[in-house]
Amino acid sequence: MAEELSSVRAEHKFDETALHEYLKKNLQVFPRGHGTLTVLQYSSGQSNPTFCMSKNGKKFVLRKKPPGKLLRGAHQVKREFRVLSALHSISFPVPKPYLYCEDASVIGTEFYIMDHVKGHIFRRPKLPSHSASERRVLYNSMISTLARLHSVDWRSLGLSDFGHQTNYLRRKVSTWSKQYRASATQPINAMEKLLSWLEKNIPPESTQETAIVHGDFRLDNLIIHPMQLTVAAVLDWELSTLGDPILDLAYNCVPYHCPSELADVLPAFSLASPSAGIPSEKELVSTYCKLRGFSKTSFPNWNFYLALSFFRMAAIAQGIYARAMQGNASAPNAASFGQTVQPLAEAGLRLALQDQKPYVSHSIAPRQCNSTSIFQPSEKAQALYSKMKAFMDKYVYPAEQAFYEHASNPETQWSIPPFMEELKQKAKSEGLWNLFLPGVSGLSQLDYALLAEITGRCPFAPEVFNCSAPDTGNMEVLHLYGSEEQKKQWLEPLLRGEIRSVFCMTEPDVASSDATNIECQITREGSEVVINGRKWWSSGAGDPRCKIAIVMGCHAGVNLPKHQRHTMVLVPLDTPGIKKVRALTVFGYNDAPHGHFEIVFNNVRVPLTNVILGEGRGFEIAQGRLGPGRIHHCMRSIGLAERSLELMVQRSLERVAFGKRLAEKGMVQEQIALSRIEIEQARLLVLKAAHTIDCHGNKVARKQIAMAKIVVPRMACNVIDRAIQVHGGKGVSQDTPLAYFYTGARSLRIADGPDEVHLEAVAKLELKEALKSKM
């Protein structure tokens, strides 16, 4: 971006000393020490003048109104600041907004300050310096960002008054006609004809959706991540409002139709004869439809949207030319825009008069990562992915801070956060409920893999969707092995999310990784069974909603094979003889209100009918339970690692040490690269394991499950550890979730069988296969 900076142009100069003093008093993150404020102007852009400010290695961006007489309603930087603030709050890729100043006495106009986002801006949509595969990835990232914007719940962001919610297209035709006429310097016949056609062919309001629209969404208004082909930030929100998102989509497709003679003046819209790898217009529209989750979407008025886009571009070009004549344009080439108005109008008129057929998409939400191109999830799973991703952005991430505060407060931590049940009801109403259980959701393990990955990005998210351990494993046990009475009494309320459960298998006095060591005794006495023993790491027992435990024990003194001595039994937690001894901590965290408890069972009596499947069937049940349970943990851990990598990358882009951003240092770049590689490798292993379970069952997939269980927690530990290192002292504090993430990932190397057990299992299976092949 440095090549786009130049000295502040004469017509845009302001009092930099006054600005410096204002920032020191009002911008908390602004360097207060000695140093000079350097201000340079971005040479690109034709709208609000934009400046890069730097002091002591810290950079900011200032955006202000142009000076002089302006068109009514144009250049409202306060609206830009407002929408940036709203979108940044849900982690949509925009620069972080810091402050808005309406006091024109500081620099002569109102202005706002935002973060300086490092990355690349590509001015030519043909992307001549990229390979075909890179072009496709970039275009897919661009269109997925647009689809994500249009999926944002603007009401929950407090943007209901950000624009009128009716007659959007009619108002756009009227607005741009007024803007054009206010800046017209000569009559242009094509503009009048195009305007007349638009006024007569406005689509019915019933066909128009309302969403946040950017108004100028195109490739050169995006900052592309410096090390990944992803969108780091969307810029230039001057035209944003509430309206029909299809106009944003059509405007994004203008380069496919822009006259080639305008390539020099409008390089950002020149896409005649697209380069290899760039999707066609039809492919781009189809991808958008999939990302929005549309099952069958047609745009019968597509030509209207394109024609209106060209009319708007022509009106904007006319305004830029008029400002150049007045001497207050934002860019030095503004005067050349006068020659583009008629060709743009003529292009729009040709599109208006064409008998175009609508684009139709029969698919729904697409694969969200390249690795799934090998393992294709179902259309239902793809649609649920889009819904869940939007749900996380809208409800879950915004609740994280409240959750951590509730869980860390000694007075509240063993109670349920007040918002949790509300979130669960919302998830249930949207069909994002019990997705882990194939017999209920209709999803395969492969389908569920990407959904579980999303929930893994936030520690409490799985519960929101009733997909959290140990309830998932316990529900699977009851679904597969429970009697009808057991299902009615315990499975149904668990599926409804009315109660929670705990699984009691591990014991403090024996190596429970070898379950044959279990000492807890289950003795049959008439129509009852009596349980005596001590369990620990009984996860979930601290939850006040936890009502039922599945306890695994053995039959003492019975001469049976070692894998037929164990039984699982349902034990209500209010049964006499149960004592919660203590809550165990994980690296100092007590995981409240969930908790991991040591529990004593002293002559606990329950009916014989509480035995699951039958006496001596405990090992059989455990193997059926642990297969999916282990892979679900791995799925969620991929999401945890992805979130950690995102935090690492963001920190490296923001933090400066020894005169350079951390992202510019080779050591940090290596950490980021290794993390990305390891995550992708681990995800493929998880997806293969899930695919094998779906095709061949848990038993055949046991090697793939074991490998995933080894690789994924190790990978997550590595990635989180690197993220902590990049954050420095902040990484081990409560100011980031990384320390808490690490405790979960490190614990998983022990939970559900330590690494060593799974390594041994993989080796034995490998050797067995080798011996078998020689026979």
Side-chain angles (χ1 to χ4, degrees):
M1 294 179 65
E3 68 276 7
E4 299 178 347
L5 293 170
S6 60
S7 299
V8 179
R9 294 197 292 278
E11 63 271 23
H12 293 150
K13 284 186 178 297
F14 51 79
D15 189 339
E16 295 180 11
T17 301
L19 175 64
H20 193 185
E21 292 302 315
Y22 178 86
L23 294 177
K24 286 195 293 183
K25 293 179 181 178
N26 296 280
L27 182 55
Q28 186 176 0
V29 295
F30 189 77
R32 297 295 195 280
H34 296 291
T36 302
L37 175 67
T38 301
V39 181
L40 298 172
Q41 185 168 6
Y42 287 102
S43 57
S44 60
Q46 300 292 344
S47 182
N48 294 323
T50 308
F51 307 85
C52 180
M53 309 179 303
S54 60
K55 179 183 177 182
N56 298 345
K58 182 71 173 176
K59 289 185 177 182
F60 303 91
V61 174
L62 181 148
R63 193 158 161 88
K64 64 186 285 289
K65 280 191 173 186
K69 183 180 179 180
L70 304 174
L71 294 173
R72 182 184 177 186
H75 308 284
Q76 297 186 50
V77 295
K78 187 174 184 179
R79 282 176 58 84
E80 288 187 43
F81 184 79
R82 181 184 178 191
V83 73
L84 284 173
S85 300
L87 291 172
H88 185 267
S89 71
I90 59 169
S91 301
F92 186 84
V94 292
K96 181 178 181 179
Y98 288 120
L99 66 81
Y100 163 74
C101 176
E102 61 182 353
D103 184 359
S105 68
V106 180
I107 63 171
T109 67
E110 60 184 287
F111 66 92
Y112 69 88
I113 307 294
M114 58 183 168
D115 193 21
H116 176 271
V117 179
K118 189 157 185 172
H120 307 290
I121 296 179
F122 301 115
R123 299 296 178 193
R124 297 183 179 275
K126 282 190 175 183
L127 299 172
S129 300
H130 290 75
S131 66
S133 60
E134 289 174 332
R135 293 177 188 131
R136 182 164 291 276
V137 171
L138 273 169
Y139 267 75
N140 284 339
S141 181
M142 175 181 69
I143 205 66
S144 66
T145 302
L146 182 62
R148 181 183 172 190
L149 172 66
H150 293 162
S151 299
V152 168
D153 184 346
W154 40 272
R155 293 182 181 87
S156 68
L157 293 180
L159 294 177
S160 296
D161 61 343
F162 194 62
H164 296 287
Q165 300 174 25
T166 57
N167 295 316
Y168 174 71
L169 295 178
R170 185 173 299 279
R171 286 186 288 104
K172 287 295 106 179
V173 172
S174 174
T175 297
W176 290 112
S177 66
K178 291 176 182 177
Q179 298 276 36
Y180 167 66
R181 297 198 190 286
S183 59
T185 53
Q186 62 178 344
I188 299 176
N189 190 43
M191 283 292 282
E192 299 301 329
K193 288 184 177 180
L194 178 55
L195 175 57
S196 177
W197 185 91
L198 289 169
E199 290 173 337
K200 296 174 182 177
N201 290 276
I202 297 174
E205 187 175 356
S206 60
T207 66
Q208 301 175 39
E209 181 188 358
T210 300
I212 298 176
V213 292
H214 180 273
D216 196 16
F217 193 91
R218 60 180 195 257
L219 185 63
D220 69 324
N221 271 336
L222 308 178
I223 296 179
I224 303 302
H225 194 283
M227 286 163 285
Q228 302 172 20
L229 297 178
T230 57
V231 176
V234 182
L235 305 176
D236 200 354
W237 292 83
E238 181 190 351
L239 299 177
S240 60
T241 186
L242 298 180
D244 188 345
I246 306 307
L247 187 58
D248 256 0
L249 177 64
Y251 181 76
N252 194 241
C253 292
V254 159
Y256 293 102
H257 303 279
C258 197
S260 57
E261 64 265 27
L262 299 181
D264 292 336
V265 185
L266 300 175
F269 294 94
S270 179
L271 196 55
S273 305
S275 306
I278 293 178
S280 67
E281 180 185 11
K282 185 174 182 179
E283 290 173 326
L284 204 69
V285 173
S286 178
T287 298
Y288 173 88
C289 292
K290 293 175 183 178
L291 287 163
R292 292 295 310 280
F294 299 155
S295 58
K296 182 178 180 182
T297 302
S298 63
F299 301 136
N301 299 299
W302 183 246
N303 54 340
F304 175 89
Y305 290 101
L306 287 171
L308 178 54
S309 296
F310 272 96
F311 181 80
R312 182 178 65 174
M313 287 179 62
I316 291 172
Q318 182 63 50
I320 294 169
Y321 176 69
R323 290 201 300 277
M325 298 301 97
Q326 297 167 8
N328 64 341
S330 298
N333 66 334
S336 63
F337 277 72
Q339 63 185 284
T340 69
V341 180
Q342 182 167 329
L344 288 171
E346 291 174 346
L349 190 58
R350 285 194 298 270
L351 286 164
L353 300 178
Q354 285 178 7
D355 182 22
Q356 290 192 325
K357 295 182 179 180
Y359 293 127
V360 180
S361 172
H362 297 278
S363 302
I364 46 183
R367 303 184 302 272
Q368 298 294 321
C369 63
N370 293 336
S371 57
T372 61
S373 60
I374 302 173
F375 306 105
Q376 176 69 55
S378 68
E379 289 188 349
K380 180 178 181 180
Q382 294 170 38
L384 287 169
Y385 182 96
S386 292
K387 289 183 67 175
M388 180 175 280
K389 194 168 185 293
F391 191 98
M392 292 283 290
D393 290 338
K394 180 178 177 181
Y395 297 116
V396 178
Y397 298 134
E400 280 187 304
Q401 187 60 38
F403 177 85
Y404 291 130
E405 290 176 359
H406 184 96
S408 61
N409 185 341
E411 295 182 4
T412 61
Q413 60 183 314
W414 293 109
S415 63
I416 307 304
F419 58 82
M420 183 60 73
E421 292 303 319
E422 180 182 346
L423 289 181
K424 289 166 66 175
Q425 290 304 314
K426 287 179 178 177
K428 187 184 296 187
S429 67
E430 291 193 23
L432 301 172
W433 194 253
N434 292 330
L435 301 175
F436 71 96
L437 193 57
V440 174
S441 67
L443 299 174
S444 65
Q445 294 296 336
L446 179 61
D447 286 337
Y448 181 61
L450 294 181
L451 303 176
E453 179 178 327
I454 301 175
T455 68
R457 294 171 59 87
C458 172
F460 67 86
E463 182 188 342
V464 172
F465 306 103
N466 211 39
C467 292
S468 58
D471 293 335
T472 48
N474 291 341
M475 285 189 274
E476 284 175 322
V477 166
L478 289 168
H479 177 75
L480 293 172
Y481 307 111
S483 66
E484 290 304 314
E485 181 181 348
Q486 291 168 351
K487 290 178 181 179
K488 184 175 180 61
Q489 186 175 4
W490 301 113
L491 176 59
E492 290 181 9
L494 282 168
L495 287 171
R496 292 193 297 266
E498 296 170 353
I499 63 172
R500 300 294 306 274
S501 62
V502 61
F503 186 67
C504 299
M505 178 176 174
T506 309
E507 299 179 1
D509 297 327
V510 297
S512 303
S513 57
D514 177 3
T516 61
N517 288 333
I518 287 177
E519 294 180 344
C520 176
Q521 294 185 8
I522 295 179
T523 306
R524 181 175 178 178
E525 292 185 8
S527 60
E528 294 181 323
V529 291
V530 182
I531 305 161
N532 284 282
R534 182 181 294 264
K535 300 288 185 178
W536 73 345
W537 296 111
S538 301
S539 300
D543 194 309
R545 299 162 299 179
C546 186
K547 303 300 180 184
I548 188 68
I550 295 181
V551 181
M552 184 168 176
C554 67
H555 300 279
V558 178
N559 187 20
L560 291 172
K562 64 179 181 178
H563 291 106
Q564 296 178 18
R565 297 175 54 236
H566 297 78
T567 294
M568 286 194 186
V569 59
L570 289 158
V571 183
L573 288 184
D574 59 0
T575 306
I578 296 178
K579 181 181 179 181
K580 296 179 184 178
V581 177
R582 58 174 177 156
L584 302 167
T585 62
V586 185
F587 292 104
Y589 292 95
N590 59 17
D591 279 352
H594 187 66
H596 311 280
F597 275 72
E598 182 173 354
I599 302 177
V600 170
F601 296 84
N602 183 19
N603 289 320
V604 175
R605 292 178 175 270
V606 295
L608 184 61
T609 53
N610 282 26
V611 170
I612 303 173
L613 192 60
E615 294 177 275
R617 308 288 293 274
F619 257 92
E620 179 183 344
I621 299 169
Q623 292 305 306
R625 182 188 192 277
L626 286 176
R630 285 167 176 159
I631 204 67
H632 291 169
H633 276 309
C634 293
M635 294 169 183
R636 290 188 289 266
S637 297
I638 299 291
L640 196 70
E642 281 282 6
R643 183 90 182 274
S644 302
L645 176 56
E646 289 176 11
L647 291 171
M648 186 196 329
V649 168
Q650 188 61 39
R651 177 71 166 185
S652 72
L653 292 170
E654 295 173 348
R655 200 68 165 175
V656 174
F658 304 103
K660 286 186 177 181
R661 292 183 184 275
L662 297 182
E664 297 176 82
K665 297 182 180 293
M667 290 183 293
V668 175
Q669 292 176 3
E670 180 182 5
Q671 301 302 306
I672 292 170
L674 287 172
S675 299
R676 169 52 59 203
I677 291 166
E678 291 170 9
I679 290 172
E680 296 299 329
Q681 290 174 328
R683 181 187 284 114
L684 282 171
L685 191 56
V686 169
L687 293 177
K688 182 178 180 182
H691 180 69
T692 306
I693 291 173
D694 292 335
C695 295
H696 305 291
N698 295 342
K699 186 175 181 179
V700 174
R702 62 189 186 277
K703 183 167 76 171
Q704 282 72 31
I705 294 170
M707 289 190 293
K709 180 61 176 59
I710 297 163
V711 168
V712 175
R714 290 186 175 189
M715 174 278 296
C717 283
N718 289 339
V719 173
I720 299 166
D721 185 68
R722 293 172 189 139
I724 290 173
Q725 196 71 14
V726 170
H727 278 75
K730 185 177 182 180
V732 296
S733 76
Q734 71 269 40
D735 287 349
T736 77
L738 292 170
Y740 188 63
F741 285 1
Y742 187 84
T743 67
R746 185 60 185 85
S747 301
L748 194 55
R749 292 187 57 193
I750 301 171
D752 288 348
D755 288 2
E756 291 75 10
V757 170
H758 295 295
L759 285 166
E760 183 179 22
V762 171
K764 287 180 176 179
L765 288 167
E766 198 72 13
L767 291 168
K768 183 178 180 180
E769 291 170 4
L771 291 171
K772 186 176 180 180
S773 66
K774 290 184 177 182
M775 294 177 65

